[in-house]
Amino acid sequence: MSRYDATTTNESKRSAKIYRDLDLDFQANVATKDIQTLTDVEAVKRSVRNLINTNHYERPFHPEIGSNLRAMLFENITPQMTHAISKQIHLLLKNFEPRIRLVQINVQPSPERVEMESFLERLR
């Protein structure tokens, strides 16, 4: 199984629905001189990554959006904390990203870093 992130291309043809979001790198499209867009799978993956990296009260007029994972950054990694991280991400994605169906969140303690894996599947 390979890993994907929002910076790589996924040539999936499972759905005819096209999702389109602005590319937050703000690079200009060579042909139109407008901001480039992310489409389809890359747009959804970027949205998930942005939601997870957002803290509560970071978005104006929407303090409820965000995972608040930075608040848990220096907590001791216990089974309760890994469950809390998983639950926080699950609720965040369930409430704010309707384009996905969450299959699994796996938080594994590591002395150097907290590692998170999530598997996303397109809705049909």
Side-chain angles (χ1 to χ4, degrees):
M1 183 167 21
S2 61
R3 291 180 143 174
Y4 295 105
D5 66 10
T7 60
T8 61
T9 301
N10 185 346
E11 300 297 331
S12 175
K13 302 292 183 201
R14 288 185 269 174
S15 175
K17 189 176 235 181
I18 301 283
Y19 301 115
R20 184 164 302 203
D21 290 338
L22 288 176
D23 186 356
L24 297 180
D25 292 336
F26 295 108
Q27 296 177 358
N29 184 319
V30 179
T32 64
K33 305 292 187 216
D34 201 1
I35 296 175
Q36 289 185 349
T37 58
L38 292 175
T39 57
D40 212 16
V41 176
E42 287 78 30
V44 176
K45 289 188 292 186
R46 178 70 59 97
S47 174
V48 168
R49 188 182 78 189
N50 287 341
L51 281 170
I52 290 172
N53 288 332
T54 300
N55 281 327
H56 293 297
Y57 298 98
E58 234 176 74
R59 294 199 180 176
F61 307 107
H62 291 286
E64 72 282 2
I65 296 177
S67 65
N68 217 29
L69 290 181
R70 286 187 214 143
M72 300 180 208
L73 186 60
F74 295 106
E75 296 291 331
N76 289 330
I77 298 297
T78 63
Q80 293 83 8
M81 184 54 67
T82 58
H83 177 72
I85 291 169
S86 296
K87 190 69 170 171
Q88 187 72 20
I89 292 170
H90 178 266
L91 290 173
L92 173 75
L93 296 178
K94 178 182 167 199
N95 291 331
F96 297 108
E97 187 48 80
R99 300 177 289 184
I100 66 168
R101 182 171 61 94
L102 188 61
V103 176
Q104 180 181 10
I105 297 174
N106 184 13
V107 179
Q108 298 175 345
S110 172
E112 297 84 35
R113 64 177 191 234
V114 175
E115 186 173 310
M116 178 193 71
E117 292 182 22
S118 58
F119 300 96
L120 305 175
E121 182 177 312
R122 290 176 129 197
L123 293 175
R124 295 176 190 173

